[in-house]
């Protein structure tokens, strides 16, 4: 796969799967043996079920989630996505119970691609910024 094809896959991941909540695309975009390191740890092995659970928790807690890719940097089989998440806080996020508040956060994700599918995913969210908005905490 070319770098441009890998970037296009990452755009689809966030636009159609995460924001569009099109779970039927999961097996097309993510390999059966892919590792969602947010669930299995760095270097761990995983399955599509890990990705499904991650998405279902996100959709339950932020039902109107919008994930917007702001920039992509790619080399070989790896794509780094700089993206923004927006939505309404309807369930626990980072230990903060539902508030009904709207929030915006920024994240950086690393996605490794093999044969046109994501095989490894990790994300570094701005937890502090999100918690500050949800809990109305000053730092």
């Amino acid at each position: 796969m070319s770098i441009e094809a890998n970037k296009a896959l990452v755009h689809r991941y966030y636009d159609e799967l995460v924001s569009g909540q099109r779970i039927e695309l999961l097996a097309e975009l993510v390999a059966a043996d892919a590792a969602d390191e947010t669930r299995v740890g760095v270097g761990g092995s995983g399955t599509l079920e890990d990705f499904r659970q991650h998405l279902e928790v996100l959709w339950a807690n932020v039902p109107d989630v919008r994930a917007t890719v702001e920039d992509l940097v790619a080399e070989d089989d790896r794509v780094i996505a700089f993206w923004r998440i927006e939505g309404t806080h309807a369930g626990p996020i980072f230990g903060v119970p539902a508030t009904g508040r709207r929030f915006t956060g920024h994240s950086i994700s690393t996605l490794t691609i093999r044969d046109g599918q994501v095989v490894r995913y990790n994300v570094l969210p701005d937890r502090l910024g999100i918690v500050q908005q949800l809990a109305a905490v000053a730092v």
Side-chain angles (χ1 to χ4, degrees), residues 14 54 58 67-72 80-86 94 103-111 121-127 130:
Y14 287 105
H54 184 162
L58 173 63
T68 304
V69 173
E70 295 184 331
D71 197 10
L72 297 173
I80 307 301
F82 298 84
W83 58 283
R84 181 178 70 250
I85 185 172
E86 301 171 273
F94 304 135
F103 72 95
T104 300
H106 292 86
S107 297
I108 302 170
S109 294
T110 304
L111 298 93
Y121 175 83
N122 203 331
V123 62
L124 178 61
D126 177 16
R127 288 185 176 148
I130 292 170

Side-chain angles (χ1 to χ4, degrees), residues 14-94:
Y14 287 105
D15 294 342
E16 297 177 39
L17 181 60
V18 177
S19 294
Q21 299 187 28
R22 294 187 54 203
I23 198 67
E24 72 274 10
L25 294 177
L26 186 62
E28 178 185 339
L29 302 178
V30 179
D33 62 343
D36 180 343
E37 292 182 343
T38 65
R39 304 204 50 91
V40 301
V42 175
S45 60
T47 66
L48 275 179
E49 186 59 27
D50 298 316
F51 282 82
R52 179 182 308 279
Q53 290 173 8
H54 184 162
L55 290 165
E56 288 174 350
V57 167
L58 173 63
W59 296 334
N61 295 330
V62 189
D64 59 346
V65 67
R66 185 88 194 133
T68 304
V69 173
E70 295 184 331
D71 197 10
L72 297 173
V73 178
E75 185 173 325
D76 297 326
D77 65 348
R78 194 167 286 175
V79 179
I80 307 301
F82 298 84
W83 58 283
R84 181 178 70 250
I85 185 172
E86 301 171 273
T88 305
H89 182 213
I93 298 176
F94 304 135

